[in-house]
Amino acid sequence: MTSTILDMPSYTYALKAQRLLRSRGYPCRIKRREKNAERGCGYSVHIMGSSDSPLKLLDRYAVPYTLISGGDEVNDKL
């Protein structure tokens, strides 16, 4: 299954993104990044399936994110 991974600026924004996406039927989950990750510790949102519409939804509601990976196989080693 493909997954889109978004780097979030805070846990609050990760939770806001998760709630918004799930309310619109997009399966997603929040993951804490490993402390030794090159981007430092923080949170990411993993969106399962196609990513185009969910990203437009986050943009429309001004939820900040950075696209890490889009449409690749699921990578749980963040």
Side-chain angles (χ1 to χ4, degrees):
M1 173 175 257
T2 61
S3 176
T4 299
I5 302 171
L6 307 176
D7 186 30
M8 305 305 289
S10 69
Y11 178 75
T12 303
Y13 280 119
L15 190 59
K16 182 176 182 177
Q18 182 186 44
R19 287 180 178 167
L20 178 61
L21 292 170
R22 284 186 174 175
S23 72
R24 296 305 200 296
Y26 299 108
C28 62
R29 63 184 172 157
I30 297 173
K31 290 194 72 175
R32 179 142 172 93
R33 287 197 311 263
E34 295 177 7
K35 290 183 181 180
N36 61 358
E38 58 193 44
R39 294 176 311 279
C41 61
Y43 294 91
S44 60
V45 173
H46 294 236
I47 306 169
M48 305 307 164
S50 176
S51 64
D52 193 33
S53 296
L55 296 181
K56 288 179 183 176
L57 181 65
L58 293 176
D59 290 339
R60 186 175 346 138
Y61 283 88
V63 178
Y65 65 88
T66 303
L67 182 64
I68 300 294
S69 171
D72 298 333
E73 289 297 315
V74 175
N75 179 6
D76 285 337
K77 299 215 178 213
L78 258 184

